[in-house]
Structure formats: structure tokens, C-alpha cells
Amino acid sequence: MNVEQIYKDSQALLEGHFKLSSGNHSKFYLQSAKVLEDPKTAKVLAQALAKQIKDSNIKIDAVCSPALGGLVAGFALATALDLRFIFAERVEKEMTIRRGFEVQEGENYIICEDIITTGGSALEAAKQIENNGGNVVAYAALANRGFCSRQGSNIKAKENCKLPLDKPLFALEDFTFEMYSPEECPMCKEGSVAYKPGSRGN
């Protein structure tokens, strides 16, 4: 499966001058919502991700995603795995599990995002699962930005990866783009103005 081509065909691999959530700038931006708006594509990607997870023989009881970005990817993965799905959401900037969702003592969860960058939001959701008595046994995403090490890849985890090294990360592809601080950004030096796409920017 050529995941990069699927992103390009879905106009989800954007090229331009982008300001990332970290504050850094990049020539490329992944917009997974564009991939997941087509149910057929979402199903194909989720089934491929589910196969990796099933092949690992890790016992999983449920899927949890941090809102908002991980919701569709997490639900599609839960459907492919035939598991229960819940989500965590921010309430006054704090990740919380509510809406009547219950985490059973000793349940094994996989935390699913659309894209894993440093894994900060996924880790926050994981802590909520653990605070409620569940176990987080793995992490998953459609795309890995290359800061964390995923199963089947030679990329080593960077210092800013927030995911625990003793839990596997399953993802379909690594997308490693050059990033620049605003002071060192060559596009800024050429007079271009960075645009911040995605849910946090517009």
C-alpha cells in the first residue's frame, strides 16, 4: 500500500509554507481529515492498520482516541478490530473522559490518533485511561511524523518523542519533513508568510 500516494490523491499532503502547532515552519503539512472524509479510503487504511495490530498478538479490549483529530481514525480502527471505542476530550485545557464512557478495571486499550507527531495528546489520553483503572498497551496512527519510533521502521525515537518506549506504536507510514524555527526558515527569509492550517489554526 502506497500511503503517501493515498494522501496525495486525497489532497491531504499539502505543499506550501505552514506554521505547525509546535511553532516551527515546514514546506509540507499532513491533513488527515481529507483522507478520512472518504469512508472507503478510511476503511482501507484502518484495515491495514488493524492487520499490523492483529499480527502482533497484543490483547486489546478497546480503542480510545483524543478528540478532535483522532476521532474518525480511532472509530475506523475500532470497527476494523471489532472493538469498543471511546474518546477523551479537552475540558478547560485538560484531557478528560466523560459522556458516560466507562473504563473497566484492567481493560487493555490502544490509543489511536490520525497523526502522531510527538505523541503529546495521545499520552494525555493514555494517562486518563490509566487514571480510571485501564491499561494502555499500545499506540496507533495512520501516519507517523518520524519523531517516535514505530513498529517496522528503522527510524529511532527523537528526544522530543513523548510516547513511552516500552509500548509499541503502529502506523502505516513515516512522513519525515524538514522543519525550521521561524528565525531559520528559508521560506520566511524569501518573504513568504507561514499559514497555520488544521483545527488549531482556523
Side-chain angles (χ1 to χ4, degrees):
M1 175 186 292
N2 189 333
V3 178
E4 182 175 337
Q5 190 60 52
I6 291 174
Y7 268 75
K8 287 179 178 178
D9 292 344
S10 301
Q11 298 181 326
L13 178 51
L14 310 180
E15 186 171 354
H17 182 191
F18 303 105
K19 182 179 180 181
L20 308 179
S21 296
S22 63
N24 291 323
H25 292 192
S26 178
K27 188 177 179 181
F28 298 98
Y29 186 84
L30 290 175
Q31 183 59 282
S32 284
K34 289 291 295 177
V35 172
L36 296 169
E37 72 178 350
D38 177 12
K40 292 179 181 176
T41 304
K43 182 179 180 180
V44 168
L45 293 173
Q47 287 177 336
L49 188 57
K51 184 179 186 307
Q52 286 188 25
I53 296 164
K54 288 176 181 176
D55 288 348
S56 74
N57 292 317
I58 294 174
K59 183 183 182 299
I60 299 168
D61 300 307
V63 178
C64 177
S65 290
L68 180 67
L71 289 182
V72 179
F75 184 77
L77 178 62
T79 301
L81 291 171
D82 195 23
L83 295 175
R84 188 167 64 94
F85 173 73
I86 67 171
F87 61 86
E89 59 190 306
R90 293 191 189 281
V91 179
E92 297 181 358
K93 299 184 179 180
E94 181 114 0
M95 198 67 81
T96 306
I97 294 174
R98 56 179 192 162
R99 301 183 188 274
F101 291 139
E102 294 183 4
V103 177
Q104 303 298 324
E105 188 75 29
E107 274 187 320
N108 288 344
Y109 280 80
I110 186 167
I111 307 295
C112 182
E113 279 270 39
D114 53 350
I115 301 168
I116 288 287
T117 305
T118 61
S121 294
L123 186 61
E124 288 182 70
K127 287 180 178 178
Q128 288 303 307
I129 293 294
E130 291 168 344
N131 289 345
N132 284 276
N135 303 316
V136 174
V137 295
Y139 295 84
L142 300 181
N144 176 39
R145 285 285 282 106
F147 296 96
C148 299
S149 177
R150 70 176 176 92
Q151 297 291 298
S153 172
N154 294 323
I155 291 178
K156 305 283 189 189
K158 309 292 191 297
E159 286 186 6
N160 53 352
C161 176
K162 297 178 181 178
L163 298 183
L165 299 179
D166 61 340
K167 305 285 175 66
L169 167 63
F170 299 95
L172 297 176
E173 188 61 84
D174 296 315
F175 289 85
T176 54
F177 307 137
E178 287 287 338
M179 293 191 302
Y180 311 94
S181 67
E183 297 76 24
E184 298 176 349
C185 176
M187 294 168 285
C188 286
K189 291 178 180 178
E190 293 172 357
S192 174
V193 178
Y195 165 63
K196 189 172 183 180
S199 60
R200 296 185 186 180
N202 57 5

